[in-house]
Structures are given as C-alpha cells and as structure tokens.
Amino acid sequence: VLALLGALLAAAVAAVAARVYTHLVQAQEAARQESALKALGTEGLFLFSSLDTDQDMRLSPEEFKPIAEKLTGSTPAASYEEEELLTDPSEETLTIEARFQPLLPETMTKSKDGFLGVSRLALSGLRNWTTAASPSAVFAARHFRPFLPPQGQELGEPWWIIPSELSVFTGYLSNNRFYPPPPKGKEVIIHRLLSMFHPRPFVKTRFAPQGAVACLTAISDSYYTVMFRIHAEFQLSEPPDFPFWFSPGQFTGHIILSKDATHIRDFRLFVPNHRSLNVDMEWLYGASESSSMEVDIGYIPQMELEATGPSVPSVILDEDGNMIDSRLPSEEPLQFVFEEIRWQQELSWEEAARRLEVAMYPFKKVTYLPFTEAFDRAKAENKLVHSILLWGALDDQSCGSGRTLRETVLESSPILTLLNESFISTWSLVKELEDLQSNQENPSHRQLAGLHLEKYSFPVEMMICLPNGTVVHHINANYFLDITSMKPEDIEDNIFSFSSTFEDPSTATYMQFLKEGLRRGLPLLES
C-alpha cells in the first residue's frame, strides 16, 4: 500500500511539475513576443517572423540569408546538390525555354468593379510580373534523375516524386512568408525549373495536396515516358510589402528520358489553360498571420517550359581524338541523329492525367463529368445528378470551404460508394455557368445553368438535381461546416443531424445530405 501511495504521489508531483514547466515556457514565449513587438513594432515583427522559419525568436545565418542577398545584391551560391549537377563536361545537356504570358487582369473577379478597395501596391508584384525570369536555361541530363520511376514500377501506377506532407489533420503552412526554404533532394530540379518563371517559387504549397506525383505512360527497352503533376506556388512580394501568393491550379507535363537519365529526348511543363480560370491569388493586408486576406481567381494564358530539342553531348571527340565543343557558335552546328524509340507499352495522356488527379485527390475516384455531359448521362441512366458549383477551381488549393469538403468528406469510402452507385457527379465554376447561361445557341443548356445559378451562394454550393436540372436539395459549404462543428443536441433541423454510424460528423452529415436528396428526388425520377 505504501509503495502504491508513493507511486501515486510521484505521478501527481510529475504532473504538477509538467504543468508548471509548460506554464513557464508559455510565459517566456509571451515575454519574448512582447519584447520583440516593443523593439520592432508590428510590421518589423511581421518581417522578423517571416524569416524566423523555426519560430525560435532567433535568426540563424541561413534564415538571414535572403535579407543579406537583398542588401548586398549578391547572387546566392549554388548548393552542393546544384553544383554536383554540372561538373562533368562530357555529359549531355539540354536547353529549356520558358514561354510566359502574364495573368489577364480582366479575368479577376475584382476587375468587375474596377478593383474598388484594392490598393495598387497590393497588386504591384502581379502587375510587374510580365516576363519569365529566365527565358532560357541549360540543364544537365542527369539533373532529371528524380523523374525516373522506382524499380519495378508498373505502367500507369502513380508514385510520389515529392510527397505531400500536409492533410486536413496537419493544417496548413504559414501565409506570412516571403522566401522559399532551400530545396533539398528531389526538390532541387523542380525548384530550378519553376525559378525560370519567377525567383521565388515554393515547391510545396501551403495547403494539401502538396508535392509532385508521376506515372509511366510509355516503356521501351531503353526509354521511359513519364507524365507528372506538380502543385507549387509563387510569392510575388518582398518586404516591406505584404505577402501575395500566386497559386496555379497545377503544373503538368511529360519527360522522355533514358532509363539511366543520361539522355533526355523531350521535356515539357505547363499550366493547363483549357478552363476559364486556372490561378488562385491571395494577399494579406496587415502585418500578422491573422490579418485580413483578399482572395481572387484569374486566368493565365501561358506558363510553359519546353526543351528546344533532345539533350546532346557538350564535348565530343572527332576521328583523330580531338575534342569538339558542340556549342561553339563560330562553327557549323553538329547534326545529331537519334534512334527511333519503339514503345512496347503505352498509356493515353487522358488516362494518365486521371490517375494522377486521383492520386492527388482520392475523392475523384468518382468520375466527375463535364456539366452538360453529366445531365445527358443522368437522362440516359435515369439517375440524379450530384453537382458541386464553385467560385474557384476544384483543382485549386484556394477555397477553404471547398478544401475542407474535399479532404474530410468526399474522400470518405462510404461517400464514394454512394456517389458511384446512385448519382452522376459533376463540378463547375460559376464563371463557366455564367458563360453557358449567356449562350443563345442552346436554350436547354442555358436553362440548366440558370437553375444552378439560382441556388448558388458563395463559395461552394452542393446540389442534388433531376436530369432536367431541377434542384431538389442543396447545401452551402459554409452552412455545412457550421453544422458539422455543432454538438448534435444543438442541431434543430434533423435533415442535417448526424447519427453515430460514422465517427466523423462531416462524413455523417454529407451522407445525410445525399440520402435526403435521394428521398426527395427518386419519386420524381420514377413519376
């Protein structure tokens, strides 16, 4: 008994000590913050915090480096990994060119009211970005080794070049940053490629899904074709301005390379431009993480990198063993003949793109058809339409409500099963439906768009519709998030109450939404 009492007493003392220690640490942290605020002021502390990446209230030489380079005008020295890539003069190199057309300001939502309330200073980084930072650059072929597949990788089976480190459970990275962290490992090649557009690319986005994913689309005896998808963003501002984030929906492209990455046959990377909007923008209006943030979307016509031709040796030997520099401008350019590649296995671009999309967004295991095609399919199969209408793009990392909906609900197995079995799914942008509504050539499409827009509220509206477009049930993403954050006993509307069947209230509530849509819609389908 005495031993037990002693153990209990020791545990109690340890618990009290832990609480006291935690309180002291928090008090010290608060004191340091207060002292820093007095010394630097609000905007000075904001800049200091943006550089203090480990949040220890001290700037290491590595953290201070961006300011030193800015003040001295020096060019950052290449990292070991970058230096290692161009040490062998006999290896093959390829030239990559950047093609860039700046974002069209008239496609931004705020252009409709003449950017009322938006200061010119806030958009200065965007307006000044009119050309690519590096129109052309030379890369060593083996620089692209990170694009090689893991051993034994099957055709069409995705793998992560740069894994996503964020999820709905880990939150998101700080908005209060100006300078990207130094790239490491496989990040180096992607950072260098994206730096051709702008000097401050962030290889990992603030929100999930981050990173880069790839899959094999063709295999021969000696070559691979690899398709990839990259989620990255850019910081367009520097101190003393506040951060301005420029986040394309995605970068995609392909590379054809030898199995040892000593030769590159082709390379292309680009932001898809087939939709009416393809970029999200966010900018702060204050010197703290909690400062007000403006959000907008827009369209960039061209953001592309492409190899001018296959990689070639920089130095070769003639018949007498003398070195010839193939890049000497004073001589006739050497003509290289490349073997024809005979592919043994191939996968279509469309199927590869779908598999990469599902790897990034598991909720897209459900097929999401184009808007009008979804209603045609629903008529043919006599099913209801599950439709998501968004202000911004679903491929984007932008909209908080849409992001939470995607990560907590639409990737749930029970939801995926019900959607696959009972609905035809589609998602659309508000602007696309507005364009469809104004199209005089197809009255039925105008009607479908109009019925959707009547029910829409910012930022995301989920709807259950009949094949003729009639909306039988709908819920706004913000209301959905409010409901799922409430205690069950506080919910008055039993339509959106959640049961104990699912541990996650979000999944349970969305399941209730779908089932209520079926209850309302199926009798009308059968009548």
Side-chain angles (χ1 to χ4, degrees), residues 13 16 75 83 86 108 111 140 150 158 184 198 204 238 246 248 250-251 268 326 342 361 386 432 449 483 502 519:
V13 170
V16 170
T75 303
E83 289 174 346
L86 290 172
M108 295 175 65
S111 70
K184 299 177 181 179
H198 191 278
K204 291 182 178 176
E238 286 189 282
F246 185 93
Q250 62 164 299
F251 292 90
R268 185 179 179 229
S326 64
R342 299 186 182 276
Y361 302 107
H386 165 246
E432 291 175 341
I483 287 291
F502 303 103
R519 187 189 70 80

Side-chain angles (χ1 to χ4, degrees), residues 104-125:
L104 303 178
E106 63 270 20
T107 62
M108 295 175 65
T109 304
K110 290 176 175 54
S111 70
K112 294 180 180 178
D113 56 10
F115 294 97
L116 184 65
V118 180
S119 70
R120 289 192 62 84
L121 187 61
L123 300 181
S124 60

Side-chain angles (χ1 to χ4, degrees), residues 370-376 379 385 387-390 426-457 461 463 465-471:
F371 183 73
T372 56
E373 185 180 332
F375 285 92
D376 292 339
K379 289 177 185 176
V385 175
S387 179
I388 303 176
L389 184 55
L390 307 102
T426 184
W427 70 268
S428 310
L429 303 180
V430 169
K431 186 177 187 304
E432 291 175 341
L433 294 199
E434 288 174 343
D435 292 343
L436 198 62
Q437 189 181 32
S438 63
N439 187 345
Q440 304 293 328
E441 296 179 2
N442 196 317
S444 64
H445 289 176
R446 289 183 61 201
Q447 182 181 15
L448 288 174
L451 290 170
H452 260 58
L453 292 170
E454 284 177 7
K455 301 295 184 182
Y456 174 77
S457 294
E461 196 78 26
M463 309 181 202
C465 314
L466 299 177
N468 65 6
T470 301
V471 178

Side-chain angles (χ1 to χ4, degrees), residues 382 384 465-468 470-473 517-527:
N382 199 35
L384 296 172
C465 314
L466 299 177
N468 65 6
T470 301
V471 178
V472 297
H473 193 31
L518 288 171
R519 187 189 70 80
R520 297 183 185 188
L522 286 180
L524 299 174
L525 269 183
E526 296 165 359
S527 62

Side-chain angles (χ1 to χ4, degrees), residues 208-230:
Q210 304 171 299
V213 67
C215 73
L216 287 169
T217 60
I219 303 173
S220 77
D221 288 336
S222 303
Y223 290 90
Y224 294 124
T225 298
V226 176
M227 183 178 176
F228 53 84
R229 175 173 177 147
I230 301 167

Side-chain angles (χ1 to χ4, degrees), residues 109 277 280 282 295-297 387-394 396-406 427-431 433-434 452-453 455-463 475-482:
T109 304
L277 299 167
D280 166 66
E282 298 177 348
V295 180
D296 210 336
I297 46 181
S387 179
I388 303 176
L389 184 55
L390 307 102
W391 175 70
L394 198 61
D396 224 57
Q397 289 78 260
S398 56
C399 172
S401 301
R403 197 163 47 239
T404 305
L405 171 71
R406 181 182 70 220
W427 70 268
S428 310
L429 303 180
V430 169
K431 186 177 187 304
L433 294 199
E434 288 174 343
H452 260 58
L453 292 170
K455 301 295 184 182
Y456 174 77
S457 294
F458 179 86
V460 182
E461 196 78 26
M462 294 83 77
M463 309 181 202
I475 181 174
N476 184 266
N478 285 342
Y479 178 65
F480 167 83
L481 295 178
D482 290 342

Side-chain angles (χ1 to χ4, degrees), residues 492-508:
E492 298 178 0
D493 188 352
N494 61 10
I495 290 178
F496 294 113
S497 65
F498 43 85
S499 65
S500 59
T501 307
F502 303 103
E503 294 182 6
D504 175 23
S506 300
T507 299

